[in-house]
Structure formats: C-alpha cells, structure tokens
Amino acid sequence: SQRLLDIPHFTLTARPELEASQNSLQGVPYFNPKNDRSVNLTLEAEHLLYRRYERSWLQRLRVSAGRYAQSGFQAVGTSGVAYEQVYQADPSLELRWGIALSQPVYDGRTERQTTWFAGVTQRF
C-alpha cells in the first residue's frame, strides 16, 4: 500500500493487488477455476470523526476497480465500494459496521453482491 495523502483527521491510501491461482481438482461443488488471475486497485479514504483520549470514531470508504481473467472465459472488469464506521471504545474494544457492494465474477458471469456487516474486536 502507498499513503497518498496524510493530513490531520484524513488519510488516502492506494492498495494495488495482483493475484493468481491454479487448481488441480475438477468437478467439485464449489467455485474452483483451473487457473485465474486478477489485478485490482483500491483507494481507501479514512476520516477521523471524533477522538477523545483513547476513544475514537472514524469512517472509511473503499473504492476498487480491476480486471479478472479465468481460463476458458473472457476477462472482465470488476468493481466495488464499501463504507464502514469504526468506534474504538478503548485500546482493547473496537466495534465496526458497514456495507459493501461488489461485482465478483464466476465462470465469466458478473454478479452483484451486497454485504452488510458488523463486528466486535476484543483484545486481551
């Protein structure tokens, strides 16, 4: 990743990704392409909404675009956007929630996917 902008209460980071895989099993009941590869660029903007001592609340926006190629199918573009908020109550407790919209590709077909998420991280 590369930090592009770093000013008080706001950061902008670029995350390039390059992935490739090769699988030997065939006829399995899950998505398992013989080989595939993808290239993707994600821009992540993070804005600190509130901070008081050890408590903080921030919002994060991720926008990605890329290309996915699978053997036997034409390469297609992919994209996604995600928004989340993170509340850190203290150094050991973090709450997060948000939504992600993406367009994954399976066997040459682009699908639309919406994911709502929430999570808790408790550190010891």
Side-chain angles (χ1 to χ4, degrees), residues 74-99:
Q74 187 170 348
V76 294
T78 60
S79 63
V81 62
Y83 175 78
E84 73 177 317
Q85 292 190 359
V86 180
Y87 177 72
Q88 186 165 349
D90 58 51
S92 65
L93 179 63
E94 183 179 277
L95 309 170
R96 66 179 59 241
W97 57 91
I99 183 172

Side-chain angles (χ1 to χ4, degrees), residues 2-39:
Q2 176 64 49
R3 184 71 47 97
L4 302 175
L5 182 64
D6 194 355
I7 58 176
H9 305 288
F10 185 82
T11 60
L12 181 63
T13 306
R15 300 188 193 297
E17 299 173 355
L18 181 60
E19 300 176 5
S21 70
Q22 186 170 350
N23 299 295
S24 57
L25 291 177
Q26 293 181 3
V28 293
Y30 51 86
F31 182 65
N32 190 39
K34 184 174 180 176
N35 60 56
D36 64 347
R37 59 201 168 284
S38 68
V39 61

Side-chain angles (χ1 to χ4, degrees), residues 20-70:
S21 70
Q22 186 170 350
N23 299 295
S24 57
L25 291 177
Q26 293 181 3
V28 293
Y30 51 86
F31 182 65
N32 190 39
K34 184 174 180 176
N35 60 56
D36 64 347
R37 59 201 168 284
S38 68
V39 61
N40 196 48
L41 177 63
T42 300
L43 292 177
E44 179 181 277
E46 191 172 279
H47 175 226
L48 181 65
L49 298 167
Y50 171 83
R51 179 178 300 277
R52 180 144 177 99
Y53 298 104
E54 295 179 338
R55 290 189 178 144
S56 66
W57 181 22
L58 63 89
Q59 61 184 346
R60 186 177 293 133
L61 177 68
R62 284 187 215 94
V63 178
S64 10
R67 196 115 178 111
Y68 177 79
Q70 177 185 341

